[in-house]
Amino acid sequence: MKFHIFTFGCQMNVCDSDWLCRSLTAMGFEQGAEEEADLFLINTCSVREKPEQKIYSLLGRLTSYWKKNKDVFVGVGGCVAQQVGKKFFQRFPHVRLVFGTDGIAMVPQTILRLISEPELRVSLLDFEDYYPERENNWPEKMPAQAYVNIMQGCDNFCAYCIVPYTRGRQKSRSSKAILDECRTLVNLGVKEITLLGQNVNSYGLDKFGDGVSFAELLYQVAAIDGLKRLRFTTSHPKDIADEVIKAFGELSCLCPQLHLPLQSGSNRILKLMGRKYTREEYLDIVDKLRKVCPDIALTTDLIVGFPGETEEDFEQTLEMIELVRFENSFSFKYSDRPGVRAEKMQPKVLEEVKVRRLAVLQELQEKLTGESYAGRVGKIDEVLVEGLSKKQGKDMKFWRGRDSGGRVVNVPCSSDRDLTGEIVRVKIVEAKKHSLLGEWVDE
Ligand code: 5AD
Ligand code: SF4
């Protein structure tokens, strides 16, 4: 039987899909292209309106496979599944499984049952009162880059955000389980680990914490012999501890890169959003980070058109972008999510105003990204090669990877050697709009 997984949304979903893929493969299933598959799994995202709509159109498209072959079925997981739940069964005859984040550990066994009992439909939507550990079926060798979940859920209830409802309360994973997994991964060839959670800075601070703080966890993971690079995401500015900032100056494998969602540059809007920090406090964190790690590449998330956002509030967001000089940002138009506080907040910002603000913001960001990338030219950095570049040269292969700051770098190489998973030293020679060009410099 062949399966095909569609993944939407954040890196946690990517990590979950990777796990599902490994588990199903270990059970004898084979991963295949969409046209060949009998089993589809969709890992969904409902953080904004747009990704949620994509899932409905995909489900509509998949009906055609089921019409041709009634053995075909779909499992829907992730945030939309948690929200919509069993209603999927009424709307889509080919959906026979829905699962939330805590139900995922049971999915492989449930799929076996669904295959042997064609009339069955199953929902795995309960939130567990602990971090559900999953059985791991590691292959003999892993790609050089891996994600490790350190927690689930979120307790912050920012006014616009659906995550606390779809992913439940914050539950930290035990530090021992995290360290064991990281060690195993490094033994299997992993060179770069990204620690994942909705708000990693509050790791260990919930009732499931085992006394190890996020900063301590960083130091313990960084000490694993053979680990070359460490990253983490996502951070909340209100929770970033001084010890974590200090780690950027002390841990050589901690990459000089931080994704620190700002959301808005206006104190008034930040308050309405329930973010619990001010722009001044945010700037203070940035100062401290740059003091210990001057080269740090800062990226962020921004929302335009939150209810009540005035032109003046928006100007303050633009001002913050210039003050911090973000390397890059992910920016979104505010969209109402069902059941969140902001849904009831007024006045809503007109769509055309949101469209314009987003365009202005993104233009400013492109300019800053361009300047920052241009500033990389001449620097020597290390690139972890992920695979071949999309564009290839006539008599040269081009390899694509990421530098220590997380920027995409393309590296030409005349030899036939497969560089996938290798860390190569490069000199940046050119800045493109969204990537850099690096020349391989031999040791
Ligand atoms: N509308 C627009 N953007 C949102 N985000 C979260 N909820 C919403 C919403 N309702 C954005 C935030 C968050 C990112 C993952 O998605 O910027 O950091
Ligand atoms: Fe959503 Fe705020 Fe939690 Fe991030 S910290 S997941 S924005 S509620």
Side-chain angles (χ1 to χ4, degrees):
M1 190 163 189
K2 287 201 176 164
F3 67 90
H4 188 84
I5 306 182
F6 298 92
T7 308
F8 296 87
C10 61
Q11 278 149 328
M12 318 261 267
N13 274 9
V14 174
C15 187
D16 286 349
S17 291
D18 285 351
W19 178 83
L20 280 169
C21 181
R22 284 197 303 274
S23 305
L24 291 175
T25 310
M27 279 160 56
F29 293 87
E30 201 186 323
Q31 195 177 11
E34 183 188 318
E35 303 74 40
E36 318 169 312
D38 312 292
L39 164 64
F40 295 99
L41 294 174
I42 312 178
N43 222 333
T44 64
C45 170
S46 60
V47 79
R48 289 175 303 277
E49 210 170 8
K50 235 175 157 178
E52 188 176 336
Q53 280 163 2
K54 278 193 201 159
I55 285 132
Y56 290 103
S57 59
L58 173 63
L59 276 167
R61 184 155 65 80
L62 295 182
T63 319
S64 63
Y65 297 107
W66 173 79
K67 280 189 180 147
K68 276 186 236 146
N69 172 5
K70 292 285 185 304
D71 289 339
V72 166
F73 69 94
V74 183
V76 185
C79 289
V80 184
Q82 195 76 57
Q83 230 179 297
V84 177
K86 289 185 190 171
K87 277 183 258 164
F88 269 119
F89 295 153
Q90 290 148 24
R91 245 183 101 178
F92 297 99
H94 52 321
V95 175
R96 292 181 53 209
L97 170 66
V98 288
F99 56 99
T101 19
D102 285 2
I104 200 163
M106 312 256 293
V107 167
Q109 296 313 317
T110 309
I111 285 174
L112 291 181
R113 273 191 66 203
L114 288 167
I115 292 168
S116 62
E117 296 175 54
E119 299 303 314
L120 191 68
R121 293 176 122 180
V122 178
S123 66
L124 305 168
L125 296 167
D126 289 346
F127 284 120
E128 299 294 347
D129 197 19
Y130 54 89
Y131 181 99
E133 281 297 330
R134 302 172 194 169
E135 196 188 321
N136 269 307
N137 293 289
W138 302 114
E140 272 171 31
K141 199 172 180 322
M142 285 286 288
Q145 201 280 331
Y147 295 114
V148 174
N149 255 325
I150 67 165
M151 65 206 300
Q152 268 181 17
C154 179
D155 288 348
N156 287 321
F157 290 93
C158 298
Y160 50 82
C161 189
I162 201 164
V163 167
Y165 305 92
T166 57
R167 298 220 168 217
R169 295 291 62 68
Q170 180 178 312
K171 290 175 290 200
S172 293
R173 190 177 177 195
S174 88
S175 59
K176 184 183 175 306
I178 297 167
L179 284 162
D180 283 351
E181 184 165 323
C182 291
R183 278 192 206 101
T184 306
L185 287 169
V186 171
N187 285 334
L188 292 170
V190 168
K191 292 176 180 161
E192 175 182 307
I193 287 178
T194 304
L195 302 177
L196 285 183
Q198 292 299 339
N199 179 12
V200 292
N201 298 108
S202 58
Y203 170 80
L205 298 179
D206 48 87
K207 64 178 177 186
F208 306 98
D210 59 9
V212 174
S213 70
F214 181 59
E216 284 161 348
L217 184 71
L218 275 181
Y219 279 80
Q220 291 176 12
V221 176
I224 295 174
D225 213 18
L227 181 68
K228 302 278 191 271
R229 285 178 162 190
L230 179 58
R231 304 184 196 271
F232 59 85
T233 200
T234 284
S235 295
H236 193 307
K238 81 174 165 59
D239 295 318
I240 191 160
D242 283 342
E243 291 74 21
V244 172
I245 297 178
K246 218 169 89 195
F248 279 100
E250 290 184 352
L251 296 176
S252 58
C253 72
L254 185 60
C255 290
Q257 178 235 324
L258 182 66
H259 185 68
L260 194 62
L262 170 66
Q263 312 297 4
S264 168
S266 149
N267 282 340
R268 198 178 69 83
I269 297 294
L270 285 172
K271 193 147 197 236
L272 287 173
M273 287 176 164
R275 291 290 287 175
K276 302 191 177 75
Y277 55 84
T278 60
R279 54 191 267 138
E280 292 75 19
E281 283 160 349
Y282 189 99
L283 287 171
D284 191 40
I285 298 168
V286 171
D287 273 351
K288 286 195 221 158
L289 282 164
R290 291 211 165 117
K291 229 169 238 145
V292 296
C293 184
D295 235 9
I296 196 161
L298 294 172
T299 56
T300 200
D301 287 347
L302 297 158
I303 296 176
V304 298
F306 184 80
E309 185 189 71
T310 62
E311 210 51 37
E312 203 183 349
D313 294 315
F314 173 62
E315 293 287 333
Q316 291 186 6
T317 299
L318 296 178
E319 195 184 283
M320 275 297 274
I321 297 174
E322 296 225 56
L323 280 172
V324 180
R325 299 190 65 81
F326 289 110
E327 186 77 28
N328 224 327
S329 57
F330 300 93
S331 44
F332 313 102
K333 288 181 289 173
Y334 168 81
S335 58
D336 272 339
R337 303 284 63 216
V340 306
R341 268 179 295 136
E343 195 189 8
K344 296 202 182 68
M345 290 183 183
Q346 296 293 344
K348 299 287 189 232
V349 175
L350 289 174
E351 177 65 17
E352 66 229 47
V353 176
K354 288 195 266 188
V355 170
R356 180 178 50 77
R357 287 182 188 166
L358 190 69
V360 171
L361 187 158
Q362 290 181 342
E363 196 182 314
L364 170 63
Q365 184 60 62
E366 289 241 328
K367 181 178 112 63
L368 293 177
T369 304
E371 287 171 11
S372 162
Y373 276 30
R376 300 298 302 166
V377 174
K379 302 231 179 214
I380 305 275
D381 203 344
E382 286 187 339
V383 171
L384 173 57
V385 178
E386 289 166 4
L388 283 169
S389 308
K390 271 192 210 126
K391 274 197 196 148
Q392 288 298 320
K394 267 204 188 107
D395 29 45
M396 283 258 199
K397 272 195 181 143
F398 277 75
W399 294 91
R400 177 191 189 277
R402 284 183 190 271
D403 70 6
S404 57
R407 305 169 196 89
V408 170
V409 185
N410 291 295
V411 187
C413 170
S414 52
S415 91
D416 273 344
R417 204 166 123 193
D418 181 359
L419 295 183
T420 309
E422 289 197 32
I423 294 181
V424 294
R425 258 165 77 81
V426 300
K427 182 178 179 189
I428 305 299
V429 290
E430 200 185 323
K432 304 258 166 88
K433 210 169 172 193
H434 298 288
S435 65
L436 298 166
L437 187 70
E439 248 170 34
W440 190 359
V441 283
D442 289 318
E443 306 280 82

